[in-house]
């Protein structure tokens, strides 16, 4: 979904030079990715390759946080999209915040199955959260889907198990 969204918006991640310019970051968190960060700073690549690499970096960091901070609540987008009210309730409970009827209505309005799956603009707008989960299937070609699966398989297998 992440790669399909970046492709749809035409956004090639430009953060690799920002990463490279941060020596401490490159020597710590991003050390396993250093060579590829350097390569992507020099080589304009295709949007799918860059988006997959960016996804891998982000989720590598998330997995590190999961290991270090077991008391934190980690929520998957897919879970929120499938069950918006109950997942937001879980977040509110974790944060010890009250979930009002007004908030529930707002969540329902913005995630309703009556909303379109695809956004008309980049502006925040109501979307059909369940249908959004499959929007990438229309945005990516069969070859791009295969490319994404191969490029992200190691980290996605750790995060999602065999469900991918």
């Amino acid at each position: 979904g992440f790669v399909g969204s970046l492709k749809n918006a035409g956004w090639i991640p430009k953060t690799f030079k920002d990463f490279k310019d941060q020596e401490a970051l490159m020597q710590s968190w991003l050390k396993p990715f250093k060579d590829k960060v350097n390569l992507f700073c020099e080589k304009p690549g295709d949007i799918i390759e860059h988006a997959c690499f960016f996804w891998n970096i982000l989720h590598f960091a998330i997995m590190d946080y999961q290991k270090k901070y077991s008391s934190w609540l980690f929520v998957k987008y897919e879970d929120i999209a499938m069950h918006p009210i109950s997942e937001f309730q879980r977040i509110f409970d974790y944060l010890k915040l009250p979930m009002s009827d007004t908030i529930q209505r707002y969540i329902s309005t913005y995630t309703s199955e009556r909303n379109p799956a695809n956004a008309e603009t980049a502006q925040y707008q109501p979307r059909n959260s369940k249908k959004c989960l499959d929007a990438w299937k229309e945005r990516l070609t069969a070859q791009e889907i295969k490319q994404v699966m191969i490029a992200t398989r190691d980290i996605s297998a750790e995060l999602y198990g065999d469900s991918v």
Side-chain angles (χ1 to χ4, degrees):
F2 177 82
V3 174
S5 293
L6 292 185
K7 178 187 175 190
N8 190 54
W11 294 342
I12 296 177
K14 306 273 189 221
T15 55
F16 303 122
K17 180 167 179 353
D18 293 335
F19 290 162
K20 184 179 178 181
D21 291 344
Q22 298 178 62
E23 191 173 319
L25 178 66
M26 292 302 295
Q27 293 304 317
S28 59
W29 282 77
L30 297 184
K31 192 171 187 171
F33 302 102
K34 185 177 181 178
D35 291 341
K36 203 162 187 179
V37 167
N38 289 332
L39 176 67
F40 279 10
C41 285
E42 297 167 11
K43 169 191 155 206
D46 88 14
I47 193 167
I48 305 301
E49 184 179 20
H50 280 244
C52 288
F53 183 54
F54 191 51
W55 186 92
N56 282 332
I57 288 173
L58 293 173
H59 288 80
F60 179 81
I62 291 167
M63 289 186 323
D64 189 60
Y65 277 125
Q66 287 175 319
K67 291 172 191 163
K68 288 180 180 173
Y69 305 104
S70 61
S71 66
W72 287 11
L73 177 66
F74 292 89
V75 183
K76 290 183 176 132
Y77 167 75
E78 295 85 354
D79 294 337
I80 293 174
M82 286 302 295
H83 309 285
I85 297 293
S86 62
E87 286 299 308
F88 273 103
Q89 182 66 62
R90 195 162 69 95
I91 294 167
F92 275 62
D93 290 346
Y94 177 82
L95 297 171
K96 296 178 178 38
L97 296 171
M99 171 74 84
S100 68
D101 289 342
T102 302
I103 293 169
Q104 284 187 7
R105 279 193 303 277
Y106 184 85
I107 293 167
S108 292
T109 298
Y110 270 77
T111 61
S112 170
E113 293 180 20
R114 292 185 301 271
N115 297 328
N118 293 307
E120 298 293 321
T121 69
Q123 299 296 317
Y124 182 69
Q125 58 198 277
R127 309 248 317 264
N128 180 329
S129 64
K130 290 177 184 167
K131 284 194 176 176
C132 284
L133 288 173
D134 291 328
W136 60 271
K137 293 175 183 176
E138 297 170 13
R139 296 175 177 162
L140 299 174
T141 67
Q143 180 58 37
E144 289 169 337
I145 292 169
K146 185 177 178 181
Q147 183 182 353
V148 170
M149 299 299 241
I150 291 168
T152 61
R153 71 176 159 222
D154 293 340
I155 291 178
S156 66
E158 281 195 56
L159 286 171
Y160 295 97
D162 293 333
S163 66
V164 289

